[in-house]
Amino acid sequence: MVLANEQDQVLGNLVRAVHLLEEALGIAWLMPEVRINLVYALSTAECPRDVAGIEGRITVVKGRFRAAGYPAFGASDHMARCLIEVRKYAPRWRAGMNFRWDPDLVKQVENYCKNKSLTLGKIERSLEPREIQEKDGSSMPWKIAQLAQGARFPEIFYESPGWGKEPLFVILGEDAVACVTKFLDLARALSGSC
């Protein structure tokens, strides 16, 4: 019963977070090619089935963010595995969301983080050892371990470009609504600086 209550809380929080994204104007330019996934993990999450995401991800329809499906456990693989790895070093972060990376955005996001006293992390894909690149499922633990080497685990991070991979920013939150609220504040700041 306790697990069912927490699952309901996670799914409900995701619905509210998606609603905030769908109501926001002027943020479609932050949509990556791979689309956005927003995930929120159970407090005891150990595998992607314990993490809820948006079925079909979030896309853009007529210039606004739109969820392709409903929140569901096991709906995400990549972002769910990312969040599970993050929580090994920083368990307070239970939600995460990816968004567009662009080399011109990095400096603006750095300035935003500095102004908000947030930590920005970078994963340098060119440093990934070949044996990790070649072993399926090994990259995510390596990438997140790189972020954990600083004094404070970053709330926002990105990957440098890598062969066949779209670089992305990831923003973290205590829950999905907190994550999206932080993202929307960042989006407003970036829109004002363009």
Side-chain angles (χ1 to χ4, degrees):
M1 189 57 144
V2 172
L3 178 60
N5 287 342
E6 186 180 3
Q7 289 173 330
D8 288 348
Q9 187 273 329
V10 165
L11 294 174
N13 188 273
L14 273 168
V15 168
R16 286 197 308 131
V18 167
H19 183 71
L20 291 172
L21 287 172
E22 290 182 339
E23 291 296 310
L25 299 173
I27 60 172
W29 65 281
L30 288 169
M31 179 64 65
E33 291 295 322
V34 296
R35 308 292 106 186
I36 285 176
N37 211 336
L38 171 64
V39 295
Y40 185 13
L42 293 172
S43 59
T44 57
E46 294 181 353
C47 68
R49 289 187 318 272
D50 299 330
V51 180
I54 309 303
E55 291 181 321
R57 302 185 183 182
I58 297 167
T59 190
V60 172
V61 177
K62 296 184 177 179
R64 296 177 78 150
F65 281 18
R66 285 288 175 261
Y70 293 102
F73 284 91
S76 167
D77 180 60
H78 184 82
M79 277 300 297
R81 288 186 295 111
C82 174
L83 191 58
I84 287 168
E85 288 298 323
V86 163
R87 291 177 42 75
K88 290 178 182 175
Y89 302 96
R92 73 182 277 216
W93 303 124
R94 289 182 53 194
M97 178 180 143
N98 64 312
F99 63 96
R100 178 179 160 221
W101 178 90
D102 182 293
D104 296 333
L105 279 178
V106 173
K107 188 65 181 169
Q108 295 171 57
V109 174
E110 284 175 355
N111 289 337
Y112 173 83
C113 288
K114 189 180 294 181
N115 291 337
K116 297 286 183 171
S117 299
L118 302 176
T119 306
L120 178 66
K122 177 183 179 183
I123 301 166
E124 183 55 65
R125 292 297 300 254
S126 67
L127 299 178
E128 186 176 4
R130 180 175 289 278
E131 63 272 15
I132 291 176
Q133 293 176 19
E134 294 174 348
K135 186 177 177 188
D136 196 33
S138 297
S139 286
M140 190 64 76
W142 179 84
K143 290 189 301 185
I144 301 305
Q146 304 311 300
L147 295 171
Q149 294 178 0
R152 190 170 124 192
F153 198 90
E155 295 173 83
I156 303 174
F157 58 88
Y158 66 97
E159 297 180 26
S160 64
W163 189 83
K165 307 285 184 187
E166 180 184 10
L168 298 167
F169 279 104
V170 172
I171 190 165
L172 302 171
E174 290 87 355
D175 61 35
V177 169
C179 183
V180 165
T181 300
K182 195 182 307 177
F183 168 75
L184 293 174
D185 187 62
L186 170 64
R188 280 189 290 274
L190 295 178
S191 294
S193 63
C194 290

